[in-house]
Every structure is written in C-alpha cells, then in structure tokens.
Amino acid sequence: MPSVETAFRGGRVPPGMDLVAELSPLLAAEAAAEASGTGIDAADLEQAVWLRLLEQRPGDLRTPARWVRTAVRAEARRARWLRRQESPYAGERAADPDPGPELAAISAERRRVLRAAIGRTPGNCPRLLTALLSPADPTYREIAGELDISQGSLGPMRSRCLGCLRRMLAAEVAAPERGGKER
C-alpha cells in the first residue's frame, strides 16, 4: 500500500491528511478493543469517531492520541446507551426461519381473518385491498389501470377502504386497554 505522501501528486499531503495517517492505526485498534466487549461494530465506531474529528476545531486537538481514546470511549458509551433505549416493536416478532407449527397456525389464521374482512368491505375496496396486498407488489399506476380509475384517486380510496377495514376488524377483535385489560 502506498504511503500517504506518495498517494498524492508531487508528494504533497493535503492539510489534515498527516493527522489521518497518524491516527488511523490507533483509532482502528481502540475501536476494535472497545467494540469487542459491547457488541458494537468496530467499523461503525471508527466511523463515528472520524465524524467527531471533523467537527473539531483545529486548536482542540493538542494531544491527538489522547483525544482519540476519549472519543472512542465516548462514542462507545453513546452507542451502548442507544442500544438500551431502542426496543423491538412489541406488536410483531422478528422473522424466524423456523416459526414452528403454532406460529404458522396463528399467521395463517390472521391471514384468513384479514382476507375474509377484505371480502366484506363495500364497493371497490375488496379489489383495491387485494391489489395492495398482492405479493407482486404492483405500483399505483398498475393498480389504477387494473381497477380502471385515476391514479390520483387511489390514495383517498385507499384511506377510506383501510378505515372501513380497521373498523370491521376492531369490532371483531376486542383491543386490550392500557394495562392489558380487555374491553
């Protein structure tokens, strides 16, 4: 790999590149060490520190090595804090490669109830909702052509149909109140 100096014409290093060349090995080592115990990707941690370096004023880097160590630890703390704050959506579970017979039965029942409710919606709603749920994932233009309506009226029609479907399903399935109590 060519040195930083020979990577540029005439051997002139752009301002700040000597600092990058100097700090790269230290930053990579610090990020790898800090990331290994926390489950954070070392490359992400390293990238965050480089961004933080770009935000610094030139006079703020009196001791670059110390700054790198401090910045890596601060970014790792921030990433750990963010991980604790984020939680997966409780409504649906993550896709499981082998969901098992129970989850497969529940999913099939949900699809059956949804398809039955779609069939009971008024007007063009069954056709529109079926097209929207199609595995082919058609565009609005394709759906409008299939239903023989203007593309601009699909949005309002979709809102009405989804509202109707939502009311139908809410009447069939009692939604739990806050605290887990059934209504």
Side-chain angles (χ1 to χ4, degrees), residues 19 24 28 38 41 53 61 72 79 83 86 105 118 124 127 134-136 143 145 149 153 170 174 183:
L19 185 64
S24 287
T38 60
D41 187 31
L53 176 66
L61 293 173
V72 167
R83 263 188 139 174
E86 295 173 350
I118 286 173
N124 277 337
R127 292 177 53 208
S134 169
I143 294 172
I149 58 174
S153 65
R183 291 184 191 174

Side-chain angles (χ1 to χ4, degrees), residues 65-177:
R66 183 174 178 197
W67 182 91
V68 165
R69 290 183 189 103
T70 304
V72 167
R73 286 174 181 83
E75 286 298 323
R77 274 192 310 274
R78 181 179 167 276
R80 283 191 299 269
W81 180 84
L82 283 173
R83 263 188 139 174
R84 284 191 305 269
Q85 298 303 314
E86 295 173 350
S87 59
Y89 177 63
E92 294 289 328
R93 293 172 52 167
D96 189 4
D98 184 25
E102 297 88 6
L103 290 178
I106 290 170
S107 295
E109 178 64 16
R110 283 183 179 168
R111 285 191 301 275
R112 188 194 63 73
V113 168
L114 179 64
R115 295 289 179 188
I118 286 173
R120 294 190 313 268
T121 54
N124 277 337
C125 289
R127 292 177 53 208
L128 173 65
L129 293 172
T130 301
L132 289 171
L133 292 174
S134 169
D137 196 24
T139 64
Y140 264 30
R141 177 176 287 166
E142 293 168 342
I143 294 172
E146 181 182 320
L147 299 177
D148 198 29
I149 58 174
S150 71
Q151 187 174 344
S153 65
L154 274 180
M157 185 177 170
R158 182 196 66 173
S159 285
R160 284 191 303 273
C161 293
L162 288 175
C164 182
L165 183 63
R166 191 176 299 116
R167 286 187 299 276
M168 290 172 66
L169 291 173
E172 291 179 18
V173 179
E177 289 182 2

